[in-house]
Amino acid sequence: MSSEKATRNPPRSSVVEKALAMLLESIQEQNLVSATLNDQRDSDSYQSEIERLDCLAEDRILAAESVLLAAKRSATVFLRRRNALVPLHRLPSEILALILLESLDFENGFDQTVLHSLAQVAHRWWEIIKSQPRFWTCVLWPGDNIALSIRKARTLPLQLLNRQAWNSESTDLQENIKSLLRTHANRWFKISIASYWGHIPPLFAEVLELSAFSRLEVLKMMGVDDVVHVEFGRLERLREAWLSFIPCKGHDPDTTNHMPLLTYLYLKLSRDL
């Protein structure tokens, strides 16, 4: 009788323990959910802070670049104003252009890097150089941009000086240069070829044979073997010829003098002399 009563009415302590356990479990679940939410909020907060700092850094970088650009512009303006006070820069552009031209060696030639070096001295110098066709009438190849010189020199006669390393150019580039030589053949008044390997670049030999250089006045082909076979076409304006070989006339039976204005002929048939 007593055990049956105990079963129907369990001790209060057992009920309290179960209730406390359920309450504790509920509190733990709430804490877990709360921690998860807090972690998510913290993560979102961190990400927002990172994005804010990135935007701030970008703004500061842009601001620094703007300040740097403004400083460069101010420095450029200052230098131009200071250079304007230098007596040389106060000369008329025409006089300054003549002075710059006198500093260039047109006889032996100069490449476009010389022009770039002069242009870096002052902005006004660059304006003069790029606007005056005379500065671009000398072309050194390989190295110079032939098309650029032809364009910048406008209608002025040109002189072409060939470096010794003529065979360093690719075949495609040589074909492009050959096309430029042919297209503007009536512009070249002086050609100087120094070939210490004993051969003439084929692109020059071919254009010479085709009588394309109708305006040519001075021709220098030194360091070429005296047994080389090069046919000269009509060079009616040729006044000077410096050769290390004897050119061939070709198979034309015409006895007309193809070089009626030739007044100076220098032959050096041995490179050892």
Side-chain angles (χ1 to χ4, degrees), residues 192-211:
S192 179
I193 300 174
S195 179
Y196 291 95
W197 288 276
H199 302 286
I200 298 176
L203 62 93
F204 289 106
E206 183 175 337
V207 179
L208 280 170
E209 293 174 11
L210 294 175
S211 305

Side-chain angles (χ1 to χ4, degrees), residues 122 138 180 267:
C138 182
L180 286 173
L267 289 177

Side-chain angles (χ1 to χ4, degrees), residues 54-205:
D54 286 342
C55 292
L56 183 60
E58 290 179 0
D59 292 341
R60 290 183 176 179
I61 291 174
L62 291 175
E65 290 178 348
S66 299
V67 171
L68 182 60
L69 181 59
K72 288 183 177 179
R73 289 176 177 173
S74 298
T76 300
V77 172
F78 171 76
L79 289 175
R80 289 181 182 176
R81 290 178 178 176
R82 187 196 65 180
N83 291 338
L85 300 176
V86 177
L88 179 63
H89 296 296
R90 298 171 67 181
L91 292 172
S93 297
E94 295 78 7
I95 303 299
L96 185 54
L98 292 176
I99 294 174
L100 294 177
L101 287 170
E102 285 296 322
S103 70
L104 300 174
D105 187 1
F106 282 92
E107 180 63 27
N108 297 312
F110 55 89
D111 56 21
Q112 291 172 357
T113 59
V114 176
L115 298 180
H116 294 158
S117 297
L118 287 175
Q120 291 176 356
V121 174
H123 178 75
R124 188 186 176 203
W125 288 26
W126 170 236
E127 291 294 331
I128 291 174
I129 290 173
K130 73 177 184 179
S131 63
Q132 293 288 335
R134 179 72 190 282
F135 288 98
W136 303 91
T137 57
C138 182
V139 182
L140 257 66
W141 177 79
D144 281 352
N145 186 332
I146 297 180
L148 176 64
S149 291
I150 291 174
R151 185 176 71 254
K152 299 290 283 186
R154 299 177 189 172
T155 59
L156 293 181
L158 303 165
Q159 59 174 322
L160 178 64
L161 292 90
N162 169 239
R163 300 175 189 263
Q164 298 178 20
W166 61 269
N167 57 355
S168 62
E169 299 286 359
S170 65
T171 303
D172 292 340
L173 188 54
Q174 287 197 28
E175 288 299 323
N176 183 38
I177 294 172
K178 185 189 297 184
S179 176
L180 286 173
L181 288 174
R182 286 178 174 175
T183 305
H184 304 276
N186 61 340
R187 299 278 304 280
W188 306 102
F189 82 96
K190 178 180 179 181
I191 293 179
S192 179
I193 300 174
S195 179
Y196 291 95
W197 288 276
H199 302 286
I200 298 176
L203 62 93
F204 289 106

